[in-house]
Amino acid sequence: MNKAQDLKQSAPTTPGNKKLQGKYDYIIIGGGSAGCALTRRLLDTTDATILLLESASDGVNISSITDARLWPQNIGSIVDYDLRYESSKNTGNNLLNLPRGKVLGGSGSINGMVWARGHQDDYNGWANMGNQGWDFQSVLPFFKKIEDWEDGESDFHGAGGPVRIERTNPSHIVSERLINAAQSFGMPFLKDTNGRSPEGVGQMVANISEGKRCSPFNGYLEPVLNNERLTVLTNAKVNKIEITGDRCTGVEFNWFKNRIIVKAGTEVVLSAGAIESPKLLMLSGIGPWQELKALGISPKLDLNGVGKNLHDHVLLQGLVFEAKVPLGAVNNNLSGAVAYWKSNLKLSRPDLMLLSGQVPFVSQAIAAKTTFPLNCFSIAPALIQVKSRGILKLKSSNADAPLHIDANLLGEKADFEALVNSVEIALELASQPEMAELIKKIHVKVKNKKEIAEFIKDAAGSYAHPVGTCSMGTDKDAVVNPKLQVHGIRGLRIVDASIMPVIPAANTNAPTLMIAEYAAKLIAAQAQ
């Protein structure tokens, strides 16, 4: 096996022509949103040397990444790992795509750029599960630290941070009509849809400025790529984490034709996301022992919760309306308005998000059955509080083998019922005068709950927000403690969406960056 100092002469050099060292203070696995943010903050707050390993390319100068209007072109392209959830009768046995960013910046470089924090009770709930210090008031400063908010600094927002945050302006006819219709329906107008307890309708907030994506890569990592203490390797495929006794000592990875082991002087940090982080733990012998033994993997630590608690938001794509008048040029991220609402008035807080769409947002199953004219728009309901839980498992000890990824979408009856109600609410919004006068034809007609249920099976899919597979907590199935350290292994921490014990009622990019900001403070404090 080649060691770091034995790299072949033909191996590409690192950015800045830096020589790869045999040891770094910190090795960060994954250059997605969390990895970019954590790397930057550790450079800012410590004098440590850092190796950042990313399995994909850098993605620089790809127009579908930079131009906010083109983001759908990323899905299924060369910058998408294009994973799949296991099919299920709950979703009509249809193919369920799971986009994951295959580029520096990860999914934060290919997603729809919706900037949402969630409800304050999301984080208070984490704290109530035994995760002291993760309540909303405690995490708010880390959300603020990310932001360069268009209205400037306040008690609730930050200014001067790495990621520019703006309301989606100028607005679009579909967004304007949805906001007006929602108010006629009875929803209050939200000046800021990122309030403590968002319930109502307003302009979407997005990490977009002047039509361009403000990505975690651009904001956090790109400005420090030439830092002498940082080495970034793209196209570096991690095979496993090196464990000696009860300590993580380094990482084994493939870089082009070289198999390399690099040592970590202080910590290895997994920031590979809710799919790859548990996969790497299990390949390294950390996970459910019996499952690992059955695959011929030598167990190092029996952690039953690895790969468990997988869950995701559910997005309905198929409520399409033909307009009477030209809709005009698309802008922003092809959306612009968002509503947070309850599927049932008995709920304590909203469990639905309804998004405007300037174009037809349709699932593959719907697209296969229906042809849509050009002048169409959509309303896309999403279930943002989910009760269903799934699992991720290895199928093989081969690091390149596909995984068993089953989010069990709509596995719980309550989730399905909530989405039935969401369709009814969306159609009520479409029937309000402000929206109805825009509509020429509804392309997917559903007249009763039975027809809605059949529609949901075809329209439902992942909102591409997988979380929870290395859950934070103190119970028997927790993988990391509230300091994000893996239970039972020294020198190993996880910093990404996999640690979320319960998914926030929001898109997960902002919460993931918050976790990275929080983790950087924890690590820097320990380094002092």
Side-chain angles (χ1 to χ4, degrees), residues 126 192 228 413:
W126 290 7
D192 180 4
E228 62 181 10
K413 182 179 179 182

Side-chain angles (χ1 to χ4, degrees), residues 289-450:
W289 273 25
Q290 296 304 319
E291 294 179 19
L292 299 182
K293 287 179 180 178
L295 295 174
I297 297 172
S298 177
K300 300 291 179 65
L301 179 67
D302 188 7
L303 267 185
N304 189 59
V306 176
K308 307 291 195 302
N309 192 44
L310 172 62
H311 53 299
D312 192 351
H313 294 144
V314 185
L315 181 67
L316 293 185
Q317 300 179 78
L319 286 177
V320 177
F321 309 87
E322 185 178 356
K324 293 178 181 177
V325 298
L327 295 174
V330 297
N331 64 13
N332 302 314
N333 56 353
L334 309 184
S335 187
V338 62
Y340 294 93
W341 205 241
K342 298 171 183 173
S343 66
N344 186 320
L345 294 179
K346 295 179 181 179
L347 295 174
S348 62
R349 56 192 176 99
D351 62 337
L352 300 177
M353 177 188 250
L354 298 105
L355 305 103
S356 65
Q358 300 167 10
V359 297
F361 289 143
V362 294
S363 67
Q364 290 186 19
I366 295 288
K369 295 179 178 180
T370 309
T371 301
F372 300 99
L374 293 176
N375 197 41
C376 285
F377 67 94
S378 48
I379 300 175
L383 182 63
I384 53 175
Q385 284 193 59
V386 294
K387 298 185 182 300
S388 303
R389 297 292 185 270
I391 193 168
L392 179 149
K393 295 181 179 181
L394 298 180
K395 292 182 177 181
S396 166
S397 60
N398 184 339
D400 295 322
L403 299 167
H404 175 92
I405 313 172
D406 183 7
N408 189 30
L409 296 182
L410 303 182
E412 294 289 336
K413 182 179 179 182
D415 287 350
F416 201 95
E417 291 175 345
L419 277 180
V420 170
N421 292 342
S422 80
V423 173
E424 293 180 331
I425 292 168
L427 293 176
E428 283 283 349
L429 296 179
S431 72
Q432 301 300 311
E434 296 87 341
M435 187 66 85
E437 66 183 18
L438 181 63
I439 296 173
K440 178 180 179 180
K441 179 182 179 181
I442 301 176
H443 274 269
V444 178
K445 294 183 179 180
V446 286
K447 300 176 182 178
N448 52 52
K449 287 185 181 294
K450 183 178 179 181

Side-chain angles (χ1 to χ4, degrees), residues 113-235:
M113 295 154 287
V114 180
W115 191 261
R117 296 173 173 177
H119 196 283
Q120 63 179 354
D121 287 348
D122 295 328
Y123 306 100
N124 293 335
W126 290 7
N128 292 336
M129 296 172 69
N131 298 300
Q132 185 177 0
W134 288 88
D135 58 279
F136 180 76
Q137 204 57 38
S138 295
V139 303
L140 177 59
F142 300 105
F143 276 117
K144 291 176 62 178
K145 195 171 182 180
I146 305 164
E147 295 180 343
D148 184 19
W149 172 234
E150 67 169 19
D151 288 346
E153 188 171 5
S154 67
D155 290 342
F156 200 70
H157 283 291
V163 182
R164 179 68 177 177
I165 309 299
E166 299 180 2
R167 297 179 184 89
T168 47
N169 273 316
S171 196
H172 186 275
I173 185 173
V174 173
S175 304
E176 292 172 349
R177 294 298 179 93
L178 182 63
I179 289 172
N180 293 335
Q183 290 179 89
S184 293
F185 177 73
M187 295 185 189
F189 178 75
L190 300 174
K191 183 180 179 181
D192 180 4
T193 54
N194 270 325
R196 290 177 180 272
S197 309
E199 184 168 357
V201 67
Q203 288 170 275
M204 181 179 288
V205 176
N207 49 302
I208 300 171
S209 185
E210 298 181 349
K212 302 296 183 183
R213 177 190 300 271
C214 301
S215 75
F217 168 69
N218 298 135
Y220 281 96
L221 188 63
E222 191 174 32
V224 296
L225 283 175
N226 292 324
N227 189 298
E228 62 181 10
R229 292 184 286 115
L230 172 64
T231 300
V232 178
L233 290 191
T234 54
N235 302 294

